[in-house]
């Protein structure tokens, strides 16, 4: 099964992607996480991408398309994968199609801007492994400590309110039009993000049934 998780920043794509990855035993691929890793490791790609992320802008299409192309050609993707945060522009969607990838479902997680701004302020991320948390909706077992690896939980720099507002503008302008693209392809499954994580999971599974 090949899935795309689509939606604005902070809609909970990463958390749902991880849940689906465990449920279907297919890898979840987050372009944002791959880029942030590259930044931490100071690779040439990371160094080039950093200024875009810091400003809440999208990293250039060529860069992310190359990342995804390489990643999905790896062995663990042969039974499918979940794309979290890709595609984010029409160019990227067309590039994915031209790679010959047949996507089964595009799950569109819908959350209002107002709720997103509230949510992003509570978002935390493991400094070591990148696992996502939320102080209210998805708290770690021990305050400030990653359940998976014991790493320290931090706020992402691009989650500060000013950068969040910029990212939402970018989302509405560059990414949201993709909904129309996938609607035309008959792949769009709309899921309203719920207050409770478990409820959103249920809705996502329901949407996948409907789309079969
Ligand atoms: P969120 O979904 O909360 O915005 P991500 O981790 O998906 O978080 O993305 C963080 C940042 O990484 C984006 O603001 C953007 O700069 C960059 N990025 C991630 N995926 C893409 C993509 N497909 N195209 C361009 N930039 C991307
Ligand atoms: Zn961790």
């Amino acid at each position: 099964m090949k899935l795309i998780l689509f939606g604005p920043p902070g809609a909970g794509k990463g958390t749902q992607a991880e849940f689906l990855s465990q449920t279907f035993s297919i890898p979840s691929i987050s372009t944002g996480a791959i880029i942030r890793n590259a930044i931490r490791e100071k690779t040439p790609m990371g160094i080039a991408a950093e200024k875009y992320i810091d400003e809440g802008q999208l990293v250039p299409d060529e860069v992310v398309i190359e990342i995804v192309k390489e990643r999905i050609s790896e062995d663990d993707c042969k039974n499918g994968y979940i794309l979290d945060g890709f595609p984010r522009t029409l160019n990227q969607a067309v590039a994915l199609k031209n790679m010959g990838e047949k996507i089964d479902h595009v799950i569109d997680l819908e959350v209002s801007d107002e709720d997103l701004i509230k949510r992003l302020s509570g978002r935390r991320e493991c400094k070591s492994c990148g696992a996502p948390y939320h102080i209210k909706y998805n708290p770690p077992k021990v305050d400030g400590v990653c359940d998976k690896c014991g790493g320290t939980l931090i706020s992402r720099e691009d989650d500060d309110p000013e950068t969040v507002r910029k990212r939402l503008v970018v989302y509405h302008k560059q990414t949201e039009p993709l909904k129309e693209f996938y609607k035309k392809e008959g792949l769009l499954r709309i899921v309203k993000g719920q207050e409770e994580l478990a409820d959103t999971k249920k809705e996502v599974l329901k949407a996948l049934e409907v789309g079969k």
Side-chain angles (χ1 to χ4, degrees), residues 27-204:
S28 110
I29 301 169
S30 158
T31 42
I34 292 172
I35 298 166
R36 278 191 297 281
N37 236 326
I39 293 174
R40 273 196 291 270
E41 286 170 5
K42 298 195 166 38
T43 70
M45 184 272 277
I47 291 164
E50 193 166 14
K51 64 170 188 294
Y52 298 101
I53 292 212
D54 285 351
E55 282 172 15
Q57 299 298 324
L58 295 182
V59 173
D61 285 337
E62 316 84 78
V63 178
V64 271
I65 289 167
E66 201 46 43
I67 291 173
V68 169
K69 203 173 188 173
E70 271 179 31
R71 182 63 189 85
I72 62 178
S73 71
E74 283 174 37
D75 239 22
D76 62 336
C77 290
K78 62 179 186 298
N79 293 325
Y81 49 72
I82 301 151
L83 292 176
D84 160 15
F86 181 93
R88 256 174 153 104
T89 64
L90 196 56
N91 264 336
Q92 293 176 18
V94 170
L96 182 65
K97 207 177 168 186
N98 290 342
M99 289 176 211
E101 293 301 306
K102 241 196 107 298
I103 301 301
D104 297 291
H105 308 279
V106 177
I107 300 162
D108 172 26
L109 277 180
E110 303 234 317
V111 178
S112 71
D113 282 9
E114 199 188 329
D115 285 346
L116 290 170
I117 290 167
K118 269 190 258 167
R119 282 195 196 192
L120 285 164
S121 66
R123 177 151 84 171
R124 299 291 181 272
E125 182 184 78
C126 174
K127 203 175 159 185
S128 310
C129 77
Y133 295 91
H134 192 283
I135 52 173
K136 182 161 169 229
Y137 303 112
N138 184 24
K141 293 196 181 84
V142 179
D143 250 7
V145 180
C146 179
D147 292 346
K148 297 206 173 98
C149 78
T152 307
L153 302 188
I154 53 166
S155 287
R156 271 167 47 179
E157 252 171 65
D158 62 341
D159 280 346
D160 75 276
E162 198 198 331
T163 313
V164 165
R165 272 191 289 275
K166 282 191 205 156
R167 283 159 65 204
L168 286 173
V169 171
V170 168
Y171 171 76
H172 290 302
K173 198 163 154 229
Q174 292 181 266
T175 307
E176 209 169 22
L178 278 183
K179 273 195 227 173
E180 208 40 52
F181 178 88
Y182 285 116
K183 199 171 159 190
K184 281 194 190 128
E185 307 244 312
L187 298 178
L188 195 71
R189 326 278 177 239
I190 296 171
V191 173
K192 292 251 175 286
Q194 307 292 312
E195 175 94 0
E196 289 296 326
L197 210 74
D199 294 334
T200 307
K201 287 180 183 172
K202 272 187 222 151
E203 293 297 317
V204 167

